[in-house]
PDB file of all heavy atoms in Angstrom:
ATOM      1  N   MET D 116      23.301 119.680 136.299  1.00 98.00           N
ATOM      2  CA  MET D 116      22.523 118.473 136.726  1.00 98.00           C
ATOM      3  C   MET D 116      21.274 118.387 135.820  1.00 98.00           C
ATOM      4  O   MET D 116      21.024 119.448 135.181  1.00 98.00           O
ATOM      5  CB  MET D 116      22.054 118.441 138.225  1.00 98.00           C
ATOM      6  CG  MET D 116      21.351 119.725 138.539  1.00 98.00           C
ATOM      7  SD  MET D 116      20.657 119.537 140.305  1.00 98.00           S
ATOM      8  CE  MET D 116      19.665 121.111 140.358  1.00 98.00           C
ATOM      9  N   GLY D 117      20.550 117.312 135.883  1.00 98.00           N
ATOM     10  CA  GLY D 117      19.359 117.093 135.038  1.00 98.00           C
ATOM     11  C   GLY D 117      18.257 118.119 135.277  1.00 98.00           C
ATOM     12  O   GLY D 117      17.809 118.727 134.391  1.00 98.00           O
ATOM     13  N   SER D 118      17.974 118.314 136.578  1.00 98.00           N
ATOM     14  CA  SER D 118      16.838 119.301 136.874  1.00 98.00           C
ATOM     15  C   SER D 118      17.269 120.766 136.300  1.00 98.00           C
ATOM     16  O   SER D 118      16.380 121.425 135.836  1.00 98.00           O
ATOM     17  CB  SER D 118      16.655 119.391 138.398  1.00 98.00           C
ATOM     18  OG  SER D 118      16.349 118.120 138.884  1.00 98.00           O
ATOM     19  N   VAL D 121      16.639 120.786 132.630  1.00 98.00           N
ATOM     20  CA  VAL D 121      15.096 120.914 132.274  1.00 98.00           C
ATOM     21  C   VAL D 121      14.641 122.327 132.596  1.00 98.00           C
ATOM     22  O   VAL D 121      13.987 123.025 131.677  1.00 98.00           O
ATOM     23  CB  VAL D 121      14.341 119.886 132.961  1.00 98.00           C
ATOM     24  CG1 VAL D 121      12.842 120.075 132.796  1.00 98.00           C
ATOM     25  CG2 VAL D 121      14.738 118.542 132.532  1.00 98.00           C
ATOM     26  N   PHE D 150       8.051 112.619 134.720  1.00 97.00           N
ATOM     27  CA  PHE D 150       8.941 113.098 135.838  1.00 97.00           C
ATOM     28  C   PHE D 150      10.027 113.838 135.178  1.00 97.00           C
ATOM     29  O   PHE D 150      10.730 113.512 134.208  1.00 97.00           O
ATOM     30  CB  PHE D 150       9.509 112.018 136.689  1.00 97.00           C
ATOM     31  CG  PHE D 150      10.441 112.710 137.798  1.00 97.00           C
ATOM     32  CD1 PHE D 150       9.952 113.371 138.831  1.00 97.00           C
ATOM     33  CD2 PHE D 150      11.844 112.620 137.643  1.00 97.00           C
ATOM     34  CE1 PHE D 150      10.748 113.854 139.852  1.00 97.00           C
ATOM     35  CE2 PHE D 150      12.724 113.223 138.560  1.00 97.00           C
ATOM     36  CZ  PHE D 150      12.065 113.866 139.752  1.00 97.00           C
ATOM     37  N   HIS D 151      10.314 115.176 135.601  1.00 98.00           N
ATOM     38  CA  HIS D 151      11.228 116.007 134.919  1.00 98.00           C
ATOM     39  C   HIS D 151      12.169 116.788 135.859  1.00 98.00           C
ATOM     40  O   HIS D 151      13.109 117.567 135.476  1.00 98.00           O
ATOM     41  CB  HIS D 151      10.470 117.158 134.062  1.00 98.00           C
ATOM     42  CG  HIS D 151       9.730 116.516 132.850  1.00 98.00           C
ATOM     43  ND1 HIS D 151      10.407 116.006 131.810  1.00 98.00           N
ATOM     44  CD2 HIS D 151       8.404 116.402 132.731  1.00 98.00           C
ATOM     45  CE1 HIS D 151       9.503 115.574 130.949  1.00 98.00           C
ATOM     46  NE2 HIS D 151       8.325 115.762 131.403  1.00 98.00           N
ATOM     47  N   GLY D 152      12.094 116.468 137.212  1.00 98.00           N
ATOM     48  CA  GLY D 152      13.134 117.006 138.046  1.00 98.00           C
ATOM     49  C   GLY D 152      12.676 117.495 139.388  1.00 98.00           C
ATOM     50  O   GLY D 152      11.495 117.276 139.764  1.00 98.00           O
ATOM     51  N   GLU D 223       9.578 112.904 127.919  1.00 98.00           N
ATOM     52  CA  GLU D 223      10.544 111.814 128.053  1.00 98.00           C
ATOM     53  C   GLU D 223      10.358 110.985 126.982  1.00 98.00           C
ATOM     54  O   GLU D 223       9.205 110.376 126.939  1.00 98.00           O
ATOM     55  CB  GLU D 223      10.445 111.123 129.396  1.00 98.00           C
ATOM     56  CG  GLU D 223      10.606 111.931 130.692  1.00 98.00           C
ATOM     57  CD  GLU D 223      10.013 111.160 131.808  1.00 98.00           C
ATOM     58  OE1 GLU D 223      10.795 110.387 132.518  1.00 98.00           O
ATOM     59  OE2 GLU D 223       8.829 111.293 132.138  1.00 98.00           O
ATOM     60  N   ASP D 255      13.232 115.495 127.086  1.00 98.00           N
ATOM     61  CA  ASP D 255      14.055 115.388 128.394  1.00 98.00           C
ATOM     62  C   ASP D 255      14.729 113.972 128.300  1.00 98.00           C
ATOM     63  O   ASP D 255      14.150 112.955 128.539  1.00 98.00           O
ATOM     64  CB  ASP D 255      13.095 115.400 129.672  1.00 98.00           C
ATOM     65  CG  ASP D 255      13.705 115.142 130.945  1.00 98.00           C
ATOM     66  OD1 ASP D 255      15.034 114.729 130.847  1.00 98.00           O
ATOM     67  OD2 ASP D 255      13.132 115.289 131.972  1.00 98.00           O
ATOM     68  N   VAL D 257      17.346 112.999 130.052  1.00 98.00           N
ATOM     69  CA  VAL D 257      18.198 112.918 131.127  1.00 98.00           C
ATOM     70  C   VAL D 257      18.485 111.384 131.472  1.00 98.00           C
ATOM     71  O   VAL D 257      19.685 111.002 131.731  1.00 98.00           O
ATOM     72  CB  VAL D 257      17.671 113.603 132.441  1.00 98.00           C
ATOM     73  CG1 VAL D 257      18.394 113.266 133.719  1.00 98.00           C
ATOM     74  CG2 VAL D 257      17.754 115.213 132.170  1.00 98.00           C
ATOM     75  N   VAL D 258      17.449 110.644 131.235  1.00 98.00           N
ATOM     76  CA  VAL D 258      17.695 109.111 131.439  1.00 98.00           C
ATOM     77  C   VAL D 258      18.063 108.462 130.148  1.00 98.00           C
ATOM     78  O   VAL D 258      18.841 107.492 130.122  1.00 98.00           O
ATOM     79  CB  VAL D 258      16.483 108.586 132.122  1.00 98.00           C
ATOM     80  CG1 VAL D 258      16.385 107.091 131.922  1.00 98.00           C
ATOM     81  CG2 VAL D 258      16.374 108.914 133.576  1.00 98.00           C
ATOM     82  N   ALA D 283      21.885 114.785 131.010  1.00 98.00           N
ATOM     83  CA  ALA D 283      22.688 114.754 132.399  1.00 98.00           C
ATOM     84  C   ALA D 283      22.995 113.401 132.567  1.00 98.00           C
ATOM     85  O   ALA D 283      23.232 112.607 131.614  1.00 98.00           O
ATOM     86  CB  ALA D 283      21.774 115.435 133.551  1.00 98.00           C
ATOM     87  N   LYS D 284      22.948 112.884 133.821  1.00 98.00           N
ATOM     88  CA  LYS D 284      23.271 111.534 134.168  1.00 98.00           C
ATOM     89  C   LYS D 284      24.381 110.837 133.470  1.00 98.00           C
ATOM     90  O   LYS D 284      25.630 111.079 133.777  1.00 98.00           O
ATOM     91  CB  LYS D 284      22.062 110.641 134.061  1.00 98.00           C
ATOM     92  CG  LYS D 284      20.991 111.030 135.100  1.00 98.00           C
ATOM     93  CD  LYS D 284      19.980 109.842 135.443  1.00 98.00           C
ATOM     94  CE  LYS D 284      18.818 110.355 136.239  1.00 98.00           C
ATOM     95  NZ  LYS D 284      18.964 109.883 137.655  1.00 98.00           N
TER      96      LYS D 284
HETATM   97  N1  PLP W 501      14.477 114.233 134.047  1.00 62.66           N
HETATM   98  C1  PLP W 501      14.355 113.008 134.296  1.00 62.66           C
HETATM   99  C2  PLP W 501      13.618 112.219 133.184  1.00 62.66           C
HETATM  100  C3  PLP W 501      14.843 112.252 135.376  1.00 62.66           C
HETATM  101  O1  PLP W 501      14.642 110.928 135.486  1.00 62.66           O
HETATM  102  C4  PLP W 501      15.604 113.047 136.365  1.00 62.66           C
HETATM  103  C5  PLP W 501      16.198 112.345 137.485  1.00 62.66           C
HETATM  104  O2  PLP W 501      15.931 111.303 137.711  1.00 62.66           O
HETATM  105  C6  PLP W 501      15.681 114.376 136.113  1.00 62.66           C
HETATM  106  C7  PLP W 501      15.236 115.076 135.131  1.00 62.66           C
HETATM  107  C8  PLP W 501      16.433 115.211 137.200  1.00 62.66           C
HETATM  108  O3  PLP W 501      17.742 115.006 137.112  1.00 62.66           O
HETATM  109  P1  PLP W 501      18.835 115.369 138.315  1.00 62.66           P
HETATM  110  O4  PLP W 501      18.479 114.193 139.333  1.00 62.66           O
HETATM  111  O5  PLP W 501      20.212 115.166 137.689  1.00 62.66           O
HETATM  112  O6  PLP W 501      18.523 116.722 138.694  1.00 62.66           O
END
Side-chain angles (χ1 to χ4, degrees):
M116 62 171 179
S118 302
V121 174
F150 180 73
H151 294 294
E223 301 160 89
D255 178 349
V257 167
V258 163
K284 290 202 188 261

